[in-house]
Amino acid sequence: MLGLLALLLHCLPLAAGDYDICKSWVTSDEGPTWEFYACQPKAMRLKDYVKVKVEPKGITCGDPPERFCSHENPYLCSNECDASNPDLAHPPRLMLDREDEGLATYWQSVTWSRYPSPLEANITLSWNKSVELTDDVVVTFEYGRPTAMVLDKSLDHGRTWQPWQFYAEDCAEAFGMPARRARDLAAAGAHRVLCTEEYSRWAGARKEKHVRFEVRERFAIFAGPGLRHMDQLYARLESAKGLRDFFTLTDLRLRLLRPALGGTYVQRENLYKYFYAISNVEVTGRCKCNLHANLCSVREGSLQCECEHNTTGPDCGRCRKNFRTRSWRPGSYLPPPHGSPNACTYRPAATASATATPTAAATSTSSTWSPV
């Protein structure tokens, strides 16, 4: 009895939680049974589980060794990148590491020594799993933010890509788009792809480092300032076509198209001060489990949902064997506060045989029938 009480207390829904448990043990006229709820994993730092790829080949500095200059003083060229020296190398993994004692470590590209050929780089972050963003994507650039870049996303593990947001010092010139801000979007356009100039203008290499994709500002269109009305956001995620998928992805790609120029035109006499350097990429979100799991763990090097509701698969995207009485459906945030689990239901083996028996009998009768 005490064990049953402990289990009941452990599984009771938390009134303040946001779909954080999947089921609780309850008693009914038919006896004790599980009551299911829509559920989702907690948000986490997704960069701890990502794989990074930088292209094209040779875009990372250090092979051969190269010196770099600063924007503030073009004659100060004391920085060096050397891939063979651990103290001077700047490999891609340094944009995802944890900074120790405030000392920034960063990935760095080659310089724009081949100007006027474009200095472009693609940085791809892959999770091998569908994830849903819950906070802003924040990219930290050392020594100046790009004057033009694009953030792309993929929903199919990099097979196809779609632009998520454009960034430019001048949106009209770079992409033929008007400059807009996420905070000014209307509810019907909360998942609109826009171009922003907020994160590209020169403000000093060491003053403004961050480039954001504003998830929270788009959420606030429905949940209000401080995201205090999450039930309204969840309701909108259910009803607005394409809104939920807008914040879902398997891969992110930064297309760096033009480096920081220091607030001036390109000075061809000193091309060693033009390059990219990224010290951090922060991505916060949760595993997409279709509201059928509240835990997500690492299996064989990849994130995978710990599926409930008799579902299975990396995203809990199908019913378990013998639980296919009706077609699989994702869970729903509605009605609050526990949503609809849309659990897969059990189909006993006897039911399957009973269904098969008439068919067999009909086949047998049909085979012996002949016209008079």
Side-chain angles (χ1 to χ4, degrees), residues 82-353:
D82 185 348
S84 66
N85 184 338
D87 294 329
L88 299 176
H90 295 282
R93 61 180 175 79
L94 295 183
M95 69 177 83
L96 299 170
D97 66 338
R98 296 177 184 267
E99 314 288 27
D100 295 326
E101 300 178 357
L103 182 64
T105 55
Y106 49 90
W107 165 80
Q108 188 168 330
S109 75
V110 298
T111 62
W112 206 357
S113 58
R114 296 183 179 179
Y115 180 86
S117 297
L119 179 63
E120 298 179 349
N122 286 347
I123 297 168
T124 304
L125 307 177
S126 302
W127 283 273
N128 196 30
K129 170 77 180 75
S130 298
V131 295
E132 299 172 319
L133 296 190
T134 59
D135 209 335
D136 294 358
V137 176
V138 184
V139 185
T140 305
F141 287 88
E142 302 292 327
Y143 308 105
R145 301 175 296 186
T147 56
M149 63 171 273
V150 182
L151 181 63
D152 296 327
K153 75 160 190 170
S154 175
L155 279 164
D156 55 11
H157 306 283
R159 287 187 288 274
T160 62
W161 294 90
Q162 53 192 281
W164 220 13
Q165 188 149 301
F166 296 86
Y167 302 82
E169 193 174 42
D170 187 325
C171 285
E173 178 185 345
F175 301 112
M177 302 172 65
R180 295 177 64 91
R181 300 180 302 179
R183 66 179 72 97
D184 298 330
L185 292 173
H191 55 302
R192 181 173 180 174
V193 177
L194 54 81
C195 181
T196 178
E197 296 176 352
E198 288 188 76
Y199 306 104
S200 304
R201 291 180 177 147
W202 178 257
R206 299 186 180 278
K207 292 181 181 179
E208 296 291 343
K209 296 184 176 184
H210 301 312
V211 172
R212 291 181 177 271
F213 176 77
E214 303 99 335
V215 171
R216 293 179 67 87
E217 288 189 359
R218 293 176 189 256
F219 283 173
I221 296 171
F222 310 107
L227 306 184
R228 289 188 291 269
H229 305 290
M230 291 298 290
D231 56 333
Q232 297 181 25
L233 171 63
Y234 290 140
R236 198 58 180 249
L237 288 172
E238 289 287 340
S239 62
K241 184 179 180 180
L243 184 61
R244 199 161 167 183
D245 279 349
F246 183 76
F247 300 104
T248 304
L249 54 102
T250 60
D251 304 74
L252 275 180
R253 182 173 67 186
L254 289 169
R255 282 192 281 141
L256 309 178
L257 303 178
R258 191 175 176 88
L261 301 183
T264 64
Y265 57 88
V266 176
Q267 298 175 341
R268 302 187 63 162
E269 67 277 8
N270 188 356
L271 298 174
Y272 294 106
K273 65 179 182 178
Y274 306 120
F275 54 89
Y276 305 106
I278 298 178
S279 62
N280 192 42
V281 181
E282 202 63 56
V283 185
T284 304
R286 60 170 57 95
C287 292
K288 179 184 179 181
C289 301
N290 285 296
L291 297 183
H292 288 314
N294 66 346
L295 293 174
C296 191
S297 58
V298 179
R299 295 184 191 174
E300 299 177 355
S302 297
L303 290 167
Q304 187 162 333
C305 304
E306 300 288 344
C307 299
E308 300 274 3
H309 304 161
N310 304 317
T311 62
T312 187
D315 300 344
C316 306
R318 62 182 186 273
C319 293
R320 289 169 52 199
K321 186 178 180 180
N322 295 332
F323 287 87
R324 298 169 184 166
T325 300
R326 60 184 180 187
S327 299
W328 174 92
R329 289 188 297 163
S332 170
Y333 288 114
L334 303 176
H338 302 307
S340 302
N342 296 329
C344 297
T345 54
Y346 181 63
R347 180 177 65 184
T351 304
S353 355

